[in-house]
Amino acid sequence: MKENTIEQFDKAIKICRDIYVKKLKDYGASWRIMRPSSITDQIFIKATRIRTLETTGNAMVDEGILPEFIAIVNYGIIGLIQLNLGFSDKKDLSVEKAVEEYDKEMDKTRTLMIAKNHDYNEAWRLMRVTSYTDMILTKLQRTKEIEKNDGHTEISEGIDANYMDMVNYAIFAIIKLTAE
């Protein structure tokens, strides 16, 4: 795999992590009360907005596509944290612990990207950003079906794998949208 991909991926992760940390300082880990299905819906809202902006080119709110992909990354990692820790009735993680959990889940997600990127021979580079949006929306539909089945699957990967894939597609979009 090209070293460039890892460097670009890490740069995109840093952008997302920096925003995650700043929001933690503003709000604390208030997201701890969210059930995973609510996180799935939050990612759905972000991905739907991206698709609307890509399709219509019109925005009534002065925020572009890039912040929405960053939000998908961060909510995807929050979803993984919630799957592992379970949701809470209150904000029960310190900023430091919430960052530690973020880094742990992002490291697993990054490792998955490296493996898949090797096997797919950097195919993501030939994809359009709009395709990442559609793949994220597809992964969301799959996740909602798994959630309807109380997390059970017959043959498919679980919610965690879908969250990781959504994060990775969003990071690829961030790479393309911030390419110099």
Side-chain angles (χ1 to χ4, degrees):
M1 172 172 43
K2 296 178 185 175
E3 186 65 25
N4 194 22
T5 294
I6 294 173
E7 290 170 10
Q8 289 175 304
F9 204 82
D10 289 345
K11 182 179 174 185
I13 289 171
K14 183 179 179 338
I15 292 167
C16 298
R17 186 183 187 277
D18 288 348
I19 289 172
Y20 174 82
V21 169
K22 286 175 182 170
K23 288 199 176 208
L24 273 175
K25 289 178 182 175
D26 286 347
Y27 305 127
S30 57
W31 46 264
R32 285 289 291 134
I33 67 167
M34 293 178 78
R35 291 170 283 192
S37 58
S38 296
I39 294 167
T40 300
D41 286 343
Q42 189 63 34
I43 296 169
F44 177 76
I45 290 166
K46 300 297 183 182
T48 299
R49 182 168 189 271
I50 292 168
R51 188 169 176 158
T52 299
L53 294 175
E54 289 171 343
T55 304
T56 67
N58 296 326
M60 303 263 314
V61 177
D62 190 25
E63 295 173 359
I65 290 172
L66 180 62
E68 302 294 6
F69 277 116
I70 292 168
I72 289 171
V73 169
N74 288 339
Y75 277 116
I77 296 298
I78 288 168
L80 291 166
I81 294 169
Q82 294 296 76
L83 287 174
N84 287 330
L85 299 182
F87 63 91
S88 176
D89 289 332
K90 62 184 185 298
K91 186 174 65 166
D92 63 350
L93 290 181
S94 67
V95 169
E96 296 77 21
K97 181 66 174 164
V99 171
E100 179 185 314
E101 291 294 326
Y102 183 96
D103 291 342
K104 182 173 73 175
E105 294 305 326
M106 185 59 85
D107 187 56
K108 289 187 221 173
T109 303
R110 182 182 181 274
T111 299
L112 177 67
M113 180 282 299
I114 291 169
K116 284 188 172 186
N117 194 47
H118 172 272
D119 290 356
Y120 287 96
N121 195 26
E122 301 233 321
W124 70 271
R125 291 192 180 278
L126 302 175
M127 294 173 65
R128 299 173 192 98
V129 171
T130 54
S131 293
Y132 304 139
T133 306
D134 291 348
M135 292 304 297
I136 291 166
L137 286 164
T138 300
K139 295 286 181 179
L140 284 161
Q141 292 302 314
R142 291 176 182 178
T143 300
K144 286 181 176 191
E145 288 297 317
I146 296 168
E147 288 170 345
K148 264 199 276 186
N149 295 324
D150 295 322
H152 301 294
T153 60
E154 293 290 320
I155 192 170
S156 304
E157 296 174 312
I159 294 169
D160 58 340
N162 281 285
Y163 278 154
M164 284 191 224
D165 285 346
M166 288 181 245
V167 168
N168 284 330
Y169 282 123
I171 289 176
F172 290 148
I174 292 166
I175 291 169
K176 286 204 170 191
L177 292 169
T178 59
E180 295 159 27

